[in-house]
Amino acid sequence: MEVIIFENESLVAKRAASMFVDLLTAKPSAVLGLATGSTPIKTYQELIAKFNDGEVSFKDVSTFNLDEYVGLKSKDKQSYQYFMREQLFDSIDVQIENTHFPVCVDAKNNQEMAEDYEAKIAEKKGIDLQLLGIGHNGHIGFNEPSSSLSSRTRLKTLTHSTLKANSRLFKEGEVQPTMAMTMGIGTIMDAKEILLVATGKDKAQAVRDTIEGAVSASCPASILQMHPSVTVLLDKHSASNLENTEYYQRVADQVKQLR
Ligand code: F6R
């Protein structure tokens, strides 16, 4: 696990975007795993800027998002499909038919839809780079604490803490779904490379549990300690509970010299 700590969230986003650009330069038809939420928005803005500057193209890319609310359709403003079009897809040259979500409009079909999503990822020979945010409770995707660490795509009931955190995005009168379809932790761990991004003091405990805590389903992101290729990009606030920052800094400096 490579942990890199930056002064602010803009620098985090710039580094995250440059990791995508490096991958797409080497492999223009890469398969990207994408996340929603507030954290990746700045990274997506950086990617749009790089696309506008002609530094990168997404025309041969396939994407798989981590999750989608149960019951929401692509046209619903609160759906993650809508979010991705607004925050990224409408501003780049990705072919919309190459973008995928674990859609589950009718919860009764959930098993079938979940298997279909896994099959689509397998058809593309897996995800090359998976972007992750992290919940206050250590969730990745919508794999809430107590999720099986080897789970595959499936329906999950959201915790009160997640519902509360995400209620900020729902206007009065809008119904907030309480279930989501999410890639499983096993699905995420199959990605060839993983990039976890966290910013803000409110993520400091989850970040500490992820990097320096025991591997446990109580903090689903802690399983990333078992993945061979994980980069964690943090601002100084989200890194503020870490004990070994001096060591991470030294490693990052040495890796920079070697590249
Ligand atoms: C989003 C997702 C979630 C978020 C997490 C953090 O697709 O899977 O795990 O990454 O809830 O959300 P923000 O960035 O809004 O704090």
Side-chain angles (χ1 to χ4, degrees), residues 35-39 66-67 133-135 139-141 168 203:
T36 54
S38 304
T39 314
L66 283 167
D67 37 29
I134 184 168
H139 74 210
I140 46 176
R168 72 189 193 281
K203 297 291 173 68

Side-chain angles (χ1 to χ4, degrees), residues 23 29 42 44 59-60 113 126 133 143 153 181 227 229 241:
L23 169 66
S29 63
K42 275 197 160 34
Y44 294 152
K59 74 178 171 40
D60 297 323
M113 302 308 286
N143 295 285
T153 301
M181 185 80 109
H227 192 283
S229 186
N241 282 9

Side-chain angles (χ1 to χ4, degrees), residues 64 100 111-126 152-153 187:
F64 287 89
H100 306 88
Q111 187 64 25
E112 204 182 305
M113 302 308 286
E115 281 169 20
D116 182 59
Y117 202 57
E118 291 279 336
K120 281 195 179 118
I121 296 173
E123 233 170 74
K124 294 282 178 189
K125 310 243 177 309
R152 310 303 304 183
T153 301
T187 321

Side-chain angles (χ1 to χ4, degrees), residues 13-246:
K14 277 188 201 303
R15 173 63 72 90
S18 74
M19 285 182 64
F20 278 96
V21 172
D22 288 350
L23 169 66
L24 291 173
T25 306
K27 185 177 179 186
S29 63
V31 180
L32 309 181
L34 300 177
T36 54
S38 304
T39 314
I41 290 177
K42 275 197 160 34
T43 299
Y44 294 152
Q45 288 168 353
E46 287 291 332
L47 284 175
I48 293 167
K50 286 175 184 293
F51 167 73
N52 288 333
D53 288 348
E55 255 185 79
V56 66
S57 165
F58 299 82
K59 74 178 171 40
D60 297 323
V61 155
S62 301
T63 70
F64 287 89
N65 263 78
L66 283 167
D67 37 29
E68 179 57 286
Y69 285 118
V70 169
L72 295 193
K73 300 195 179 112
S74 153
K75 64 172 173 33
D76 291 320
K77 286 203 168 147
Q78 299 298 347
S79 74
Y80 286 161
Q81 296 161 84
Y82 193 96
F83 173 99
M84 287 306 300
R85 287 199 303 277
E86 271 213 322
Q87 299 296 338
L88 183 65
F89 296 158
D90 285 352
S91 306
I92 58 174
D93 61 348
V94 69
Q95 318 258 350
I96 211 74
E97 61 275 20
N98 291 340
T99 65
H100 306 88
F101 292 81
V103 175
C104 184
V105 177
D106 176 0
K108 288 194 188 111
N109 293 340
N110 73 81
Q111 187 64 25
E112 204 182 305
M113 302 308 286
E115 281 169 20
D116 182 59
Y117 202 57
E118 291 279 336
K120 281 195 179 118
I121 296 173
E123 233 170 74
K124 294 282 178 189
K125 310 243 177 309
I127 291 170
D128 290 301
L129 177 61
Q130 175 66 57
L131 176 63
L132 298 175
I134 184 168
H136 298 113
N137 59 9
H139 74 210
I140 46 176
F142 273 139
N143 295 285
E144 300 286 32
S146 81
S147 289
S148 156
L149 295 178
S150 59
S151 49
R152 310 303 304 183
T153 301
R154 71 215 181 293
L155 216 57
K156 280 302 288 183
T157 299
L158 304 179
T159 58
H160 281 306
S161 122
T162 297
L163 290 169
K164 192 167 164 240
N166 289 358
S167 62
R168 72 189 193 281
L169 305 167
F170 289 81
K171 296 195 195 90
E172 222 180 291
E174 282 178 336
V175 181
Q176 183 180 6
T178 56
M179 295 186 93
M181 185 80 109
T182 179
M183 272 187 208
I185 297 177
T187 321
I188 292 170
M189 289 292 282
D190 281 349
K192 290 163 199 136
E193 194 180 350
I194 294 180
L195 169 59
L196 174 71
V197 176
T199 55
K201 178 82 187 144
D202 57 319
K203 297 291 173 68
Q205 191 55 43
V207 164
R208 156 86 205 229
D209 293 344
T210 298
I211 299 172
E212 296 176 346
V215 173
S216 159
S218 299
C219 175
S222 63
I223 191 66
L224 299 177
Q225 294 174 29
M226 308 284 288
H227 192 283
S229 186
V230 176
T231 305
V232 183
L233 303 180
L234 305 171
D235 70 347
K236 63 179 179 190
H237 304 295
S238 63
S240 59
N241 282 9
L242 292 174
E243 273 184 13
N244 301 321
T245 45
E246 183 274 335

